[in-house]
């Protein structure tokens, strides 16, 4: 009975608490395999047709006029390199938050195997080579840091932060010959991060920190470093994803204590940063 009631409240909320699509839209993806590449292109083409123009993380966080779109990717997938012609076709630039310890021409098969377990990836995509990452950077896209090996940072002892975060940043900078100033933390939800980690990231030189908490597109951040991203789920139809971007989730989150999109996403500390 309780489950049915929750389901009805969620359904009601998804249908009646829809706002317009926000002018500032921050979406993110993971792998782009053969089955979902056409859906990715459909999504990008739609948003460009709607008048959105892509922005880098720092430009997006700084604010601005018009319809602005922040497109990003997390983890480390070779398919990002295969997507370069699609991105060029639609005139969009993206941000790739990379795990720096798993390039396929550098990491051992067992390290890559363990990594795929950590990110719960069961598909056929490989990880990037370092040359492919350099080509993505040279094509005008932003390279950000997503830690070295994708640990759950909230469970990591502080003495390992340098190895996972600062070392990853420095390593990527050496690889692409540019500064890396943008960070997204593994697992994306607020409970996997902390104010102490946020201050550490700022101290080592990151200018933006991206989360992956659904339903906050209508909730401006109180922290100038913070970027609220909503995952665009390529397994779902375009219209359903657009509904996720329009939702006024803070209302639902404050009422129910969880995100309206996906029951696992907990908003235990709403809108702190
Ligand atoms: Zn990740």
């Amino acid at each position: 009975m309780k489950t049915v009631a929750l389901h009805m409240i969620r359904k009601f909320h998804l249908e009646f608490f829809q706002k317009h699509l926000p002018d500032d839209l921050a979406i993110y993806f993971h792998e782009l395999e053969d089955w979902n590449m056409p859906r990715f292109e459909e999504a990008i083409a739609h948003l460009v047709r709607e008048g959105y123009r892509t922005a880098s993380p720092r430009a997006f966080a700084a604010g601005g006029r018009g319809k602005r779109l922040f497109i990003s990717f997390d983890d480390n997938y070779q398919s990002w390199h295969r997507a370069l012609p699609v991105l060029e076709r639609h005139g969009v630039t993206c941000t790739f938050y990379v795990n720096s310890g798993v390039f396929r021409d550098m990491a051992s098969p067992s390290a890559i195997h363990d990594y795929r377990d950590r990110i719960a990836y069961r598909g056929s995509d490989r990880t990037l080579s370092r040359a492919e990452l350099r080509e993505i950077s040279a094509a005008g896209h932003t390279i950000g840091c997503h830690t070295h090996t994708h640990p759950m940072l909230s469970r990591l002892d502080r003495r390992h932060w340098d190895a996972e975060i600062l070392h990853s940043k420095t390593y990527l900078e050496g690889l692409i010959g540019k500064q890396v100033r943008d960070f997204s933390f593994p697992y994306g939800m607020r409970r996997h991060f902390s104010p102490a980690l946020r201050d550490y990231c700022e101290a080592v030189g990151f200018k933006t920190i991206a989360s992956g908490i659904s339903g906050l597109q209508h909730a401006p951040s109180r922290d100038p470093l913070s970027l609220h991203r909503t995952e665009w789920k390529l397994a779902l139809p375009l219209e359903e994803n657009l509904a996720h971007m329009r939702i006024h989730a803070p209302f639902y989150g404050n009422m129910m204590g969880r995100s309206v999109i996906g029951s696992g996403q907990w908003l235990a500390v709403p809108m702190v940063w």
Side-chain angles (χ1 to χ4, degrees), residues 28 30 74-76 97 99 115 119 146 150 184-188:
Y28 77 107
H30 294 95
D74 280 4
D75 303 339
N76 186 325
Y97 294 105
N99 295 121
Y115 169 69
I119 62 172
H146 191 51
H150 210 283
S184 85
F185 54 91
Y187 305 103

Side-chain angles (χ1 to χ4, degrees), residues 8-263:
M8 292 307 290
I9 290 169
R10 181 174 174 275
K11 194 169 176 337
F12 175 81
H13 190 94
L14 274 171
E15 284 180 17
F16 291 99
F17 288 83
Q18 291 276 330
K19 297 179 82 172
H20 55 89
L21 207 55
D23 275 358
D24 277 358
L25 196 56
I27 60 176
Y28 77 107
F29 302 86
H30 294 95
E31 76 280 11
L32 293 174
E33 296 177 3
D34 289 348
W35 72 269
N36 64 15
M37 191 81 84
R39 288 180 173 215
F40 171 73
E41 184 158 16
E42 177 197 27
I44 298 307
H46 176 82
L47 293 170
V48 169
R49 250 193 332 269
E50 289 290 308
Y52 285 93
R53 295 294 171 262
T54 46
S56 72
R58 274 150 285 159
F60 191 84
R65 292 180 172 195
K67 290 184 170 181
R68 304 176 331 128
L69 177 62
F70 174 54
I71 306 172
S72 64
F73 295 80
D74 280 4
D75 303 339
N76 186 325
Y77 296 101
Q78 190 193 12
S79 53
W80 297 346
H81 185 258
R82 293 198 297 275
L84 286 178
V86 176
L87 304 179
E88 193 179 346
R89 196 150 55 232
H90 297 280
V92 296
T93 52
C94 304
T95 298
F96 295 88
Y97 294 105
V98 187
N99 295 121
S100 50
V102 290
F103 291 107
R104 71 175 189 277
D105 58 330
M106 176 191 85
S108 69
S110 72
I112 292 175
H113 180 270
D114 291 350
Y115 169 69
R116 288 164 61 106
D117 268 355
R118 273 197 298 286
I119 62 172
Y121 178 66
R122 301 281 173 262
S124 58
D125 208 354
R126 299 195 292 171
T127 59
L128 288 162
S129 71
R130 288 173 289 183
E132 285 166 346
L133 183 82
R134 277 195 288 267
E135 282 179 37
I136 292 172
S137 173
H141 303 286
T142 300
I143 303 303
C145 172
H146 191 51
T147 73
H148 201 54
T149 66
H150 210 283
M152 198 168 277
L153 289 173
S154 56
R155 291 187 191 163
L156 202 66
D157 193 282
R158 192 176 185 123
R159 66 197 154 88
H160 298 301
W161 290 2
D162 279 354
E164 279 294 342
I165 301 172
L166 179 58
H167 166 68
S168 178
K169 179 179 187 291
T170 310
Y171 181 82
L172 289 170
E173 287 172 342
L175 214 51
I176 62 172
K178 296 174 194 167
Q179 286 196 315
V180 171
R181 311 303 277 288
D182 308 288
F183 182 70
S184 85
F185 54 91
Y187 305 103
M189 288 169 254
R190 200 169 276 129
R191 63 188 156 92
H192 298 132
F193 208 55
S194 68
L197 276 160
R198 179 254 178 239
D199 291 346
Y200 170 89
C201 286
E202 185 176 32
V204 299
F206 287 113
K207 301 296 182 193
T208 65
I209 301 171
S211 64
I213 305 163
S214 295
L216 295 183
Q217 294 303 304
H218 279 290
S221 169
R222 291 180 190 171
D223 185 336
L225 267 64
S226 169
L227 287 172
H228 292 161
R229 301 176 301 166
T230 295
E231 185 178 8
W232 189 287
K233 297 176 177 171
L234 291 168
L236 301 178
L238 180 93
E239 277 307 324
E240 205 166 322
N241 276 292
L242 291 172
H244 286 176
M245 303 304 152
R246 287 196 297 261
I247 198 80
H248 187 218
F251 181 86
Y252 181 92
N254 289 336
M255 186 172 67
M256 304 299 290
R258 59 177 62 221
S259 166
V260 70
I261 307 161
S263 57

